[in-house]
């Protein structure tokens, strides 16, 4: 399972997420129409996916057991407890990967996973350095990462690189691979070729390193 480019093929799961520290003080709804990820300011990642099992022999119990085993094994291999679910009562321990929810109904499986870091997302899904899927994913600040290339603002207007770099405290995601991605904040600048879907969401091209700058 971890060697697949993504845990499932598509996603149709609505998740309400409370932004903290983004200055908006409001809730947004994470409702992607295809395989999507959500990158937070602290570098953690959420993925939400759906796969249709029409004509297969999967059932809810078998799939749940498979996913839970994959997650708990990954966590144990990375020095954490062999658990698939985060213990909400344990505020001092964060699992590298945790199952948020997994539902199977009418031959459709919907999965929602939490990752402690971009690195955990890449390694668990087996995409780092591979063709297809997301091969690069990291979250930093403009000052730390110093993004390169040509940029546009959220309105699609060409923006000088120096204007992007002067906002040193802005957050930035470096990514390679086509995906719809939501960020914990408001998109300000993107690499030319990235589509800004709304103030929190972008779609990246299949190839080439891209930067999404947000505050």
């Amino acid at each position: 399972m971890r060697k697949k480019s993504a845990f499932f093929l598509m996603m149709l799961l609505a998740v309400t997420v409370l932004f903290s520290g983004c200055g908006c003080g409001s809730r947004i709804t994470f409702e992607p129409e295809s395989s999507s990820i959500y990158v937070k300011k602290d570098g953690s990642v959420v993925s939400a996916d759906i796969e249709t099992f029409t004509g297969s022999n999967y059932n809810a119990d078998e799939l749940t057991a498979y996913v839970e085993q994959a997650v708990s094994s990954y966590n144990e291999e990375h020095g954490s407890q062999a658990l698939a679910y985060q213990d909400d009562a344990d505020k001092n321990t964060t699992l590298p990967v945790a199952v948020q929810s997994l539902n199977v109904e009418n031959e459709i499986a919907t999965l929602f996973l939490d990752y402690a870091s971009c690195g955990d997302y890449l390694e668990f899904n087996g995409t780092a350095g591979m063709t297809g899927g997301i091969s690069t994913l990291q979250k930093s600040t403009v000052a730390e990462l110093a993004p390169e290339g040509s940029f546009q603002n959220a309105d699609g207007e060409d923006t000088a690189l120096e204007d992007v770099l002067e906002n040193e405290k802005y957050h930035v995601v470096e990514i390679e691979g086509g995906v719809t991605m939501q960020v914990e904040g408001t998109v300000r600048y993107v690499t030319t070729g990235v589509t800004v879907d709304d103030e929190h969401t972008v779609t990246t091209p299949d190839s080439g390193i891209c930067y999404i700058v947000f505050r």
Side-chain angles (χ1 to χ4, degrees):
M1 179 69 77
R2 296 199 302 271
K3 294 185 181 299
K4 296 176 66 176
S5 61
F7 225 78
F8 292 104
L9 301 177
M10 293 181 64
M11 150 69 196
L12 193 60
L13 174 67
V15 182
T16 301
V17 182
L18 177 62
F19 281 165
S20 60
C22 68
C24 57
S26 61
R27 292 179 180 271
I28 69 163
T29 302
F30 181 37
E31 296 180 315
E33 297 179 355
S34 62
S35 294
S36 302
I37 62 173
Y38 171 51
V39 180
K40 300 182 181 181
K41 291 181 177 180
D42 63 2
S44 60
V45 180
V46 178
S47 68
D49 308 272
I50 188 170
E51 184 173 357
T52 300
F53 289 119
T54 303
S56 74
N57 295 320
Y58 280 101
N59 62 45
D61 291 339
E62 290 174 348
L63 182 60
T64 298
Y66 187 83
V67 171
E68 290 176 345
Q69 179 60 45
V71 172
S72 61
S73 294
Y74 179 91
N75 289 334
E76 184 175 30
E77 291 167 3
H78 289 75
S80 189
Q81 294 176 293
L83 300 174
Y85 298 88
Q86 182 68 47
D87 182 359
D88 293 334
D90 185 358
K91 303 300 183 181
N92 297 318
T93 302
T94 299
L95 296 174
V97 182
V99 178
Q100 182 67 230
S101 66
L102 172 58
N103 299 297
V104 180
E105 186 175 1
N106 299 324
E107 297 185 316
I108 297 176
T110 304
L111 177 65
F112 181 36
L113 292 177
D114 291 332
Y115 304 86
S117 69
C118 293
D120 286 311
Y121 172 87
L122 287 174
E123 187 173 353
F124 183 80
N125 286 282
T127 55
M130 296 178 63
T131 301
I134 300 174
S135 57
T136 299
L137 183 67
Q138 66 171 316
K139 184 272 159 189
S140 189
T141 64
V142 168
E144 293 169 341
L145 193 58
E148 303 175 340
S150 59
F151 283 84
Q152 295 179 331
N153 62 23
D155 295 323
E157 301 167 336
D158 291 341
T159 301
L161 179 59
E162 53 264 32
D163 292 336
V164 176
L165 296 178
E166 72 177 5
N167 299 287
E168 294 186 347
K169 294 184 179 180
Y170 279 4
H171 302 271
V172 58
V173 174
E174 180 183 31
I175 184 169
E176 182 171 15
V179 72
T180 298
M181 178 176 65
Q182 187 167 300
V183 296
E184 188 185 17
T186 301
V187 176
R188 296 304 305 271
Y189 307 105
V190 298
T191 298
T192 301
V194 174
T195 301
V196 179
D197 300 316
D198 61 42
E199 61 179 340
H200 309 297
T201 311
V202 302
T203 299
T204 57
D206 292 336
S207 62
I209 293 291
C210 298
Y211 299 96
I212 290 82
V213 179
F214 65 100
R215 64 172 180 148

